[in-house]
Amino acid sequence: MSASAVADAYGLADDPSWEDVRWEDHERSVRVRGARVAYVDLGPTDPDAPAAAPLVLLHGFGGCWQNWLPTIPPLARSRRVIGVDLPGFGASALPRDLPTPAAFARVVEALCEELDLGPVVLAGNSLGGLVATIVAGRSPDRVERLALLAPVGGAHIARVALEAGPKILGMQLDPVLRRTPLRSREHPLATLVHDPAALSPRLMRAALLPGAGKPGVPLAALGIGLQGVRHANLDGLLRRITAPTLLIWGLGDRLLPSRTAETFTRGIADARLVVLDDTGHVPQLERPRTVNRLLRQFADGS
């Protein structure tokens, strides 16, 4: 394991811009495990790009595939990129079963099978990081490389459920979201980022608001709570992960402090940790250029 601090201009957009994509042309859905799962599918846009494993992106609690808006176009130049709405979130239907991290992992595995993706580079933020961890530990042949951005899991999961859970649930209250200025530190979404005033309002609106008020949020909170004890001790699962793993954490994460990365770096045999200064819980939105560079190099094996 190695740890390093990286600082790029906060909120600096990457190229090509997410605003130049006709996203409706790339939105898809497929029935997986009895429910309709929505996803976006883009790339590779460079016809001369060498064959590469697809990149599958998983959002956090209360999120949607749009949480990865600044990531998808730049990385889709050289490989296929798929952003998934987990069941009950975004545009995906509620699942038949209670939405738990393990159930989400089964859906991700089934989606990869349905789309015939083969081994993938799997990346997840927050809850999506826990789901990606479960997939990598349970189906190591499916995950070529694993990227975790502030993943939930380990001994801190009970604290997250008690302290962060109510905050995230509060973000789902649409009247509150619309009544408070988006770039205000009083806005519920401000909990997620280090400096909301420095981020593009268009990006915050497009990337964060679509996940609010979805039916899967309270059900997933219940499911996570019921499985909290299981995921408080990840040692056995982490030992089964064979994929090279990149961990990215914000030093200013107010939901999951960067010190909690130790659970993952201690348990995964081949893990590298990068800590980003002055960055919150969604580094892919706060420092797109840095995160995209890290993900691209990691996915390419460098």
Side-chain angles (χ1 to χ4, degrees):
M1 178 198 74
S2 63
S4 58
V6 178
D8 200 351
Y10 190 83
L12 185 64
D14 204 357
D15 181 61
S17 170
W18 62 272
E19 294 186 273
D20 296 331
V21 178
R22 284 176 50 90
W23 291 103
E24 61 270 23
D25 293 343
H26 305 282
E27 292 174 324
R28 309 282 188 268
S29 70
V30 64
R31 184 167 291 276
V32 176
R33 296 184 62 84
R36 184 65 58 178
V37 173
Y39 63 98
V40 66
D41 193 343
L42 182 63
T45 56
D46 179 359
D48 298 322
L55 171 63
V56 177
L57 303 171
L58 307 179
H59 61 77
F61 182 73
C64 51
W65 69 256
Q66 286 92 335
N67 290 173
W68 298 93
L69 275 174
T71 299
I72 297 173
L75 270 72
R77 284 181 295 193
S78 59
R79 68 181 64 238
R80 184 180 182 185
V81 180
I82 296 169
V84 182
D85 280 343
L86 295 172
F89 293 99
S92 288
L94 283 169
R96 294 178 303 179
D97 305 321
L98 182 66
T100 64
F104 289 144
R106 288 192 291 271
V107 168
V108 172
E109 292 167 351
L111 177 66
C112 290
E113 187 71 25
E114 179 69 23
L115 299 182
D116 194 24
L117 298 182
V120 303
V121 179
L122 186 59
N125 174 220
S126 193
L127 170 61
L130 174 57
V131 174
T133 300
I134 296 171
V135 173
R138 196 164 61 188
S139 304
D141 291 343
R142 187 175 299 284
V143 181
E144 181 177 290
R145 289 179 169 267
L146 177 66
L148 305 174
L149 286 69
V152 172
H156 63 280
I157 195 169
R159 183 197 63 79
V160 172
L162 290 174
E163 298 180 15
K167 296 178 183 178
I168 300 176
L169 285 172
M171 297 175 195
Q172 310 307 310
L173 301 177
D174 189 66
V176 175
L177 291 174
R178 298 187 182 281
R179 188 171 59 241
T180 309
L182 193 60
R183 303 175 79 183
S184 167
R185 285 197 170 272
E186 303 304 316
H187 195 284
L189 295 175
T191 303
L192 296 175
V193 300
H194 172 71
D195 187 0
L199 292 179
S200 160
R202 293 192 304 277
L203 176 61
M204 290 186 70
R205 190 173 296 109
L208 296 176
L209 290 185
K214 301 301 179 181
V217 173
L219 287 174
L222 175 61
I224 294 167
L226 291 175
Q227 287 198 339
V229 174
R230 177 186 303 179
H231 299 305
N233 185 352
L234 292 174
D235 290 348
L237 180 69
L238 298 179
R239 281 196 297 268
R240 294 197 296 273
I241 295 177
T242 58
T245 300
L246 172 66
L247 284 145
I248 301 175
W249 226 291
L251 193 60
D253 192 329
R254 285 180 281 167
L255 293 180
L256 301 177
S258 58
R259 65 179 180 274
T260 59
E262 181 183 352
T263 297
F264 293 86
T265 55
R266 184 185 64 240
I268 300 174
D270 185 2
R272 173 194 174 208
L273 170 65
V274 176
V275 179
L276 305 180
D277 293 328
D278 298 326
T279 305
H281 191 57
V282 282
Q284 72 271 25
L285 295 178
E286 299 174 78
R287 298 196 182 274
R289 290 197 173 183
T290 293
V291 170
N292 291 350
R293 182 176 67 251
L294 290 169
L295 287 177
R296 184 183 302 109
Q297 292 172 348
F298 176 68
D300 289 341
S302 58

